[in-house]
């Protein structure tokens, strides 16, 4: 199983809503990531969890709150977002025995903030 | 200077032709290098890792030049299905990856 699963695939939310993005992998990877990608731009790193601990926070606004309940799951809690936060949010994982540092991406959540 | 630089293009390539592009990186301590392919509104997918000795996977050839700090990707006999953005990705320490802006390839019938 070489898959990273993200839900939902699409999300529309108002600026006062609270929602969560979910990510799951069963490859035994030790690192999990959240990226944000705007159209025609490369992915921008938001957070990295390594062995279930937050290791990198790229100065992301507090309206984005990551959570890693266990080694297979990664959540991103959203609250009071702005329209400019509309983007494709990608989860990724890396660091299994066979895959080493290669990054495997989920299919992403296309988020629209109204 | 950006960590990873790519010419975004687009690279318009006749079907069956060969196309090649480079990606330069700024940090000489970079550890690993990858090419990812991304289709419009889809996630990036690993195309190939790049090794010092160069490596080939079918019609795709990747090269690494550590002295000049660049990697390259060559696509032979281009197919319409090769149309995509090719992202250069460089791994530093501590699980930190740097992405280039991508090379957009459009294969023309």
């Amino acid at each position: 199983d070489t898959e990273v699963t993200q839900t939902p695939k699409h999300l529309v939310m108002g600026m006062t809503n609270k929602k969560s993005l979910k990510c799951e992998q069963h490859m035994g990877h030790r690192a999990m990531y959240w990226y944000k990608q705007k159209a025609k731009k490369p992915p921008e790193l938001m957070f990295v969890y390594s062995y279930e601990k937050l290791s990198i926070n790229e100065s992301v606004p507090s309206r984005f709150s990551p959570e890693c309940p266990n080694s297979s799951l990664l959540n991103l809690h959203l609250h009071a977002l702005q329209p400019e936060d509309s983007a494709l949010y990608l989860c990724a994982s890396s660091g299994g025995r066979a895959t080493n540092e290669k990054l495997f991406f989920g299919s992403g959540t296309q988020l629209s903030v109204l | 200077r950006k960590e990873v630089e790519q010419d975004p293009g687009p690279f318009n390539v006749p079907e069956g032709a060969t196309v090649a592009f480079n990606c330069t990186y700024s940090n000489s301590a970079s550890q690993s290098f990858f090419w990812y392919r991304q289709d419009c509104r889809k996630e990036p997918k690993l195309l190939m890792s790049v090794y010092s000795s160069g490596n080939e996977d079918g019609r795709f050839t990747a090269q690494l030049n550590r002295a000049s700090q660049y990697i390259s990707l060559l696509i032979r006999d281009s197919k319409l299905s090769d149309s995509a953005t090719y992202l250069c990705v460089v791994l530093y320490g501590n699980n930190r990856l740097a992405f280039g802006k991508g090379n957009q390839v459009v294969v023309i019938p």
Side-chain angles (χ1 to χ4, degrees), chain B residues 15-54:
Chain B
E15 192 175 5
T18 296
V19 62
F21 31 83
N22 292 340
C23 158
T24 58
Y25 60 94
S26 59
N27 190 331
S28 59
S30 302
Q31 299 173 336
S32 300
F33 309 86
F34 308 94
W35 284 104
Y36 279 76
R37 173 201 167 118
Q38 187 170 26
D39 293 286
C40 188
R41 301 177 77 84
K42 300 279 190 182
E43 76 275 21
K45 292 188 177 176
L46 179 67
L47 180 67
M48 55 201 305
S49 304
V50 187
Y51 304 116
S52 297
S53 54

Side-chain angles (χ1 to χ4, degrees), chain B residues 40-84:
Chain B
C40 188
R41 301 177 77 84
K42 300 279 190 182
E43 76 275 21
K45 292 188 177 176
L46 179 67
L47 180 67
M48 55 201 305
S49 304
V50 187
Y51 304 116
S52 297
S53 54
N55 46 301
E56 190 174 304
D57 183 0
R59 298 180 293 107
F60 297 83
T61 301
Q63 299 275 357
L64 167 62
N65 186 318
R66 283 194 184 271
S68 300
Q69 294 184 204
Y70 74 86
I71 67 172
S72 63
L73 181 67
L74 182 145
I75 308 174
R76 285 184 301 278
D77 187 22
S78 299
K79 312 289 185 195
L80 296 176
S81 57
D82 294 333
S83 297

Side-chain angles (χ1 to χ4, degrees), chain A:
Chain A
D1 182 6
T2 56
E3 197 174 88
V4 178
T5 304
Q6 279 189 251
T7 56
K9 292 198 184 304
H10 302 276
L11 179 62
V12 179
M13 60 187 289
M15 289 189 284
T16 58
N17 292 158
K18 282 186 183 180
K19 297 284 184 184
S20 296
L21 309 185
K22 297 186 182 301
C23 176
E24 189 168 0
Q25 59 88 12
H26 295 288
M27 295 179 277
H29 286 174
R30 66 177 189 271
M32 296 186 76
Y33 309 73
W34 281 114
Y35 283 87
K36 171 183 176 180
Q37 187 175 26
K38 294 277 212 180
K40 297 191 183 296
K41 300 280 189 183
E44 295 175 17
L45 182 64
M46 300 175 72
F47 303 103
V48 181
Y49 273 82
S50 181
Y51 294 101
E52 301 171 47
K53 291 191 185 327
L54 183 64
S55 60
I56 297 175
N57 176 342
E58 291 285 352
S59 303
V60 179
S62 60
R63 57 186 184 269
F64 296 91
S65 174
E67 179 198 15
C68 188
N70 60 54
S71 59
S72 299
L73 296 175
L74 185 66
N75 299 323
L76 185 63
H77 302 298
L78 315 173
H79 175 53
L81 294 195
Q82 304 296 311
E84 61 263 29
D85 295 323
S86 299
L88 180 66
Y89 287 83
L90 294 160
C91 174
S93 68
S94 71
R97 248 183 265 167
T99 59
N100 200 11
E101 69 280 3
K102 294 187 182 76
L103 207 62
F104 290 84
F105 286 90
S107 56
T109 295
Q110 189 66 52
L111 174 67
S112 297
V113 182
L114 305 178

